[in-house]
Amino acid sequence: MAIQSFNPPTRTLMGPGPADVHPRVLAALGRPTIGHLDPAFVAMMDETKALLRGAFLTQNLLTMPVSAPGSAGMETCFVNLVEPGDKVIVCVNGVFGGRMVENVRRAGGEPVLVADPWGRAVDPNKLAEALKAHPDARLVALVQAETSTGASSDVKTLVEIAHDHDCLTIVDAVTSLGGSELRVDAWGLDAVYSGSQKCLSCTPGLSPVSFNERALAKVKGRSTQVGSWFLDLNLVMGYWGPEQKRTYHHTAPINALYGLHEALVMLQEEGLENAWARHRRNHLALRAGLEALGLELPVPEAERLPQLNAVRVPGGVDEALVRARLLAEYNLEIGAGLGDLAGKVWRIGLMGYSSRRTNIMLCIGALGTVLNDLGHPADTGAALAAVQAALAG
Ligand SMILES: *Cc1c(COP(=O)(O)O)cnc(C)c1O
């Protein structure tokens, strides 16, 4: 029999991403495809750049979405800013810091690791020590929101320390943009990248990036060519502008960009700071429910991300079975632990459109029910009441 059209099940996405895509974004994706150099499309590109500047809180002219997922935004920063032989300090406290190290190596740079335990923030003192020990370092790279562990690092302080040592900074804001405080200009970030499918409530596949003048000067002043043709900003800039005349570089993912534009319009309507506050409020409600179920959040409170909650798997509970049952019985996706935390935690995301009351109630109700059914006592009624109280309070 011929293969039929694919109709995905309807899920609630409370893992590490993608998050639930807002219906307005899904509707935008289906609008008519036009040419990527059509004046109407070019005008939409300009609006998208302006909306992204609003989300990043920056005036940077070079602010645009890379036509590929967050990992390509990461790679854009490294291939453009790292030249062979450059020493780069990379703060590693989870999976994504580890990927940055790999990016430095592949760009011909020499990575110097500042390691912190998984589930903890990057320690500013360790960064300062590493910079003292390596005065020839050119760049510092760090992750604001480590999605692999749920730990949040103090970007403002870390960037300040890097600048005290005349280093440029690359910041991963894939999971933080739209979900927690991020101020690109006020904090002086030099290059930053994000993703569309986390706190922006959009589909995966686009990576907003922003480079300030100092970072751009480094790109333009390279003595070697950028190793990637597709990600070479010297070429991409001819397409995404600031220049008035756009020249063909690649075909933009036109409909995907309609989706991002709509997601950013929605963020503007909500207000950036209101979005941060919503993520925080819903995190506190989820936490109240989890704690009432008798579950622990291993990341220290001051270092917890509101949009990604690591939850310790109780002893004797089969963590994969719980996730499988949540998916099969409740259409609810939560994430598994990665790396050092594999098998030890679940990762519950409250990102973007997923960060809402109905999702918290579903998650706590379903998780409590499944835990009880597997013989692990949990007071689901009390937990739902705790969520309700936190949301009211
Ligand atoms: C998801 C994520 C990425 C990678 O984004 P993709 O869209 O999956 O390529 C990078 N960094 C962090 C912190 C992330 O959470």
Side-chain angles (χ1 to χ4, degrees):
M1 200 182 73
I3 293 173
Q4 306 290 305
S5 303
F6 177 62
N7 282 295
T10 303
R11 308 284 202 204
T12 299
L13 301 180
M14 297 181 71
D20 287 340
V21 176
H22 196 280
R24 274 177 60 181
V25 174
L26 289 175
L29 295 170
R31 291 181 190 145
T33 304
I34 57 176
H36 71 122
L37 296 173
D38 185 309
F41 187 72
V42 171
M44 194 223 57
M45 288 166 90
D46 284 338
E47 286 186 358
T48 302
K49 291 195 295 182
L51 289 162
L52 276 177
R53 284 187 198 107
F56 275 126
L57 293 176
T58 184
Q59 306 288 325
N60 288 341
L61 278 179
L62 177 50
T63 302
M64 50 139 216
V66 173
S67 302
S71 304
M74 180 188 283
E75 199 139 334
T76 295
C77 291
F78 286 92
V79 296
N80 282 280
L81 290 172
V82 178
E83 286 201 75
D86 281 355
K87 201 179 255 192
V88 183
I89 304 214
V90 186
C91 304
V92 182
N93 61 339
V95 166
F96 294 101
R99 287 193 181 176
M100 286 176 150
V101 172
E102 191 59 30
N103 268 269
V104 171
R105 280 211 187 93
R106 289 180 187 225
E110 186 191 327
V112 175
L113 271 64
V114 173
D116 275 294
W118 286 49
R120 296 301 308 269
V122 172
D123 181 349
N125 296 319
K126 284 192 193 165
L127 174 61
E129 279 163 30
L131 282 160
K132 270 184 218 133
H134 300 277
D136 52 338
R138 292 275 182 282
L139 271 166
V140 170
L142 58 112
V143 179
Q144 181 176 21
E146 238 316 336
T147 323
S148 63
T149 70
S152 168
S153 290
D154 180 357
V155 168
K156 180 172 185 275
T157 301
L158 295 166
V159 167
E160 250 168 44
I161 294 168
H163 286 169
D164 287 346
H165 293 80
D166 289 325
C167 283
L168 288 175
T169 51
I170 296 177
V171 175
D172 179 318
V174 174
T175 286
S176 44
L177 182 67
S180 42
E181 187 176 10
L182 170 67
R183 300 180 185 277
V184 169
D185 283 1
W187 296 351
L189 277 56
D190 299 292
V192 58
Y193 61 92
S194 189
S196 47
Q197 77 276 28
K198 311 238 170 144
C199 295
L200 297 181
S201 320
C202 184
T203 45
L206 293 169
S207 179
V209 299
S210 187
F211 280 57
N212 71 9
E213 287 301 323
R214 291 207 312 157
L216 215 49
K218 163 98 182 169
V219 178
K220 288 180 177 158
R222 290 176 62 105
S223 52
T224 55
Q225 221 177 16
V226 172
S228 161
W229 177 85
F230 184 63
L231 299 176
D232 183 346
L233 284 174
N234 293 300
L235 304 175
V236 176
M237 275 184 294
Y239 185 47
W240 270 96
E243 296 79 9
Q244 281 310 302
K245 194 183 164 327
R246 304 285 165 88
T247 49
Y248 168 66
H249 174 258
H250 64 280
T251 309
I254 294 158
N255 292 57
L257 286 166
Y258 298 164
L260 179 63
H261 182 277
E262 187 71 10
L264 292 167
V265 166
M266 290 187 59
L267 181 61
Q268 178 186 256
E269 285 170 5
E270 180 178 16
L272 185 59
E273 303 207 356
N274 293 336
W276 299 342
R278 169 172 53 86
H279 282 87
R280 170 106 193 120
R281 204 164 52 240
N282 287 333
H283 157 71
L284 293 176
L286 180 78
R287 182 189 77 177
L290 292 168
E291 288 178 348
L293 288 176
L295 299 171
E296 289 166 31
L297 284 68
V299 176
E301 187 159 355
E303 299 171 11
R304 271 179 210 156
L305 283 169
Q307 60 275 57
L308 197 284
N309 299 268
V311 182
R312 186 170 284 128
V313 178
V317 171
D318 179 342
E319 77 83 20
L321 179 60
V322 171
R323 283 187 293 109
R325 285 195 53 179
L326 291 175
L327 192 69
E329 295 165 24
Y330 297 91
N331 275 309
L332 172 63
E333 177 179 284
I334 66 168
L338 288 180
D340 290 2
L341 299 176
K344 297 180 187 153
V345 300
W346 292 300
R347 290 180 301 150
I348 302 182
L350 286 174
M351 299 179 185
Y353 184 51
S354 288
S355 178
R356 63 192 204 274
R357 176 184 295 248
T358 45
N359 280 18
I360 303 169
M361 293 301 262
L362 169 65
C363 179
I364 294 297
L367 187 56
T369 305
V370 168
L371 284 172
N372 268 306
D373 204 45
L374 294 174
H376 182 84
D379 189 341
T380 310
L384 290 171
V387 171
Q388 193 59 36
L391 287 169

